[in-house]
Every structure is written in structure tokens, then in C-alpha cells.
């Protein structure tokens, strides 16, 4: 066998083994992050409505441990409802790895002053860094927020698939 043919055969074997190993190490786990947020609404030129929100928060997941998050979204008033769309959130894990997700939904008045509850709200994981580089998954999120202060609670419930 020629040296170039041998190199090609070995490279093909190693490449095939790496695909098998990486596929075997994918895990899907429940994701349940409960935490607190603070959101500030203000002008956002990137949004069609010209109104957007910037949020920060922290929480915890049984598998991930403590998580900090930072996000931005577009907000469109629709009668008493606020629709939030084009949301992008970055979750920072205790290990320093990052998970990226998109989100959208509505904020519905609760009848308790200026408090709203999140409704029809979902998130989709789009990747990350480290073991979450090609992470996927998603789910629903619930919670509420006081519009005057921006303080609120959030709970993301779904699944995440990543390399372990």
C-alpha cells in the first residue's frame, strides 16, 4: 500500500471514530432555571416598535448550578398586552461556559397594579461555548414582572442537548 493511501485510510478511520465518539457523548437533560430578573425598557433603534428591553438576572438549575443572564428584546404594545420578540439571552454558567438562546412571548396585565405575567413565552437554545458549543433545546418560560420597577421572577422549563 502506498504511504498516501495508508495516510488516507488512517485519517478516514480517525475521522469516523471522532464522529462516533462525539455523537455518543451527546446528552439531553431537563433544564429548569428559576431566578430573578430586572428589566429596563427604553428606546431601541433596532426594533420596529423602537422600544426594547434590557434584562439582567440570576438563577439556578439543578444540573447547571448558579446561572447569570443578560438579554435584550423588542417590545411592542398591543392594547393592554406587551409583545416581546427578537429576544436574545446569554446564560453564563458557574464553569464560565455560555449558553445562547432566543425568546419571545407576551406580558399580560395581572390586575395587580402594573404587574404583568409572562404568557405564551418560549425559548430556543441556539448554541454556546465549551460543551454547549452546539447545544440545542428549548421550552417555555413563566414568571412575572412589575413594570414600574422592572423587578421580576422567571422560570425556564425545558430541555437542553449538549456534549458531556
Amino acid at each position: 500500500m502506498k504511504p498516501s493511501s495508508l495516510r488516507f485510510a488512517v485519517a478516514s478511520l480517525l475521522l469516523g471514530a471522532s464522529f462516533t465518539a462525539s455523537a455518543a457523548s451527546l446528552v439531553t437533560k431537563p433544564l429548569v432555571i428559576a431566578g430573578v430578573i430586572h428589566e429596563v425598557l427604553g428606546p431601541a433603534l433596532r426594533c420596529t416598535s423602537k422600544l426594547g428591553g434590557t434584562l439582567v438576572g440570576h438563577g439556578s438549575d439543578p444540573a447547571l448550578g448558579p446561572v447569570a443572564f443578560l438579554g435584550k428584546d423588542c417590545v411592542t404594545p398591543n392594547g393592554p398586552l406587551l409583545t416581546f420578540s427578537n429576544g436574545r439571552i446569554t446564560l453564563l454558567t458557574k464553569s464560565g461556559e455560555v449558553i445562547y438562546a432566543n425568546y419571545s412571548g407576551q406580558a399580560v396585565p395581572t390586575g395587580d397594579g402594573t404587574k404583568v405575567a409572562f404568557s405564551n413565552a418560549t425559548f430556543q437554545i441556539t448554541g454556546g461555548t465549551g460543551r454547549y458549543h452546539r447545544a440545542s433545546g428549548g421550552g417555555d418560560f413563566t414568571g412575572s414582572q412589575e413594570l414600574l420597577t422592572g423587578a421580576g421572577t422567571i422560570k425556564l422549563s425545558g430541555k437542553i442537548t449538549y456534549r458531556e
Side-chain angles (χ1 to χ4, degrees):
M1 188 179 256
K2 289 184 172 182
S4 61
S5 297
L6 183 58
R7 275 188 244 139
F8 179 75
V10 170
S12 296
L13 182 62
L14 291 174
L15 186 59
S18 71
F19 280 125
T20 303
S22 66
S25 64
L26 284 179
V27 295
T28 299
K29 293 188 176 181
L31 184 69
V32 182
I33 300 174
V36 295
I37 59 168
H38 184 268
E39 183 173 23
V40 175
L41 296 176
L45 297 178
R46 69 182 183 88
C47 300
T48 304
S49 67
K50 304 299 181 221
L51 179 64
T54 301
L55 67 91
V56 296
H58 61 89
S60 183
D61 174 79
L64 298 176
V67 178
F69 30 89
L70 174 65
K72 286 185 175 268
D73 55 33
C74 294
V75 178
T76 304
N78 186 9
L81 306 176
L82 296 173
T83 299
F84 48 95
S85 59
N86 298 321
R88 309 270 188 275
I89 194 164
T90 301
L91 307 168
L92 177 63
T93 66
K94 181 180 177 181
S95 66
E97 294 167 303
V98 172
I99 300 168
Y100 302 114
N102 297 333
Y103 66 95
S104 62
Q106 290 184 319
V108 179
T110 63
D112 181 15
T114 58
K115 187 175 184 180
V116 294
F118 305 133
S119 176
N120 298 316
T122 61
F123 69 96
Q124 301 80 36
I125 297 170
T126 60
T129 64
R131 75 179 117 185
Y132 305 110
H133 173 66
R134 293 192 176 176
S136 62
D140 299 319
F141 73 85
T142 57
S144 63
Q145 182 178 353
E146 176 54 58
L147 291 178
L148 286 181
T149 65
T153 61
I154 192 168
K155 184 175 184 181
L156 286 75
S157 302
K159 293 186 178 195
I160 183 170
T161 300
Y162 63 95
R163 271 184 301 125
E164 189 159 51

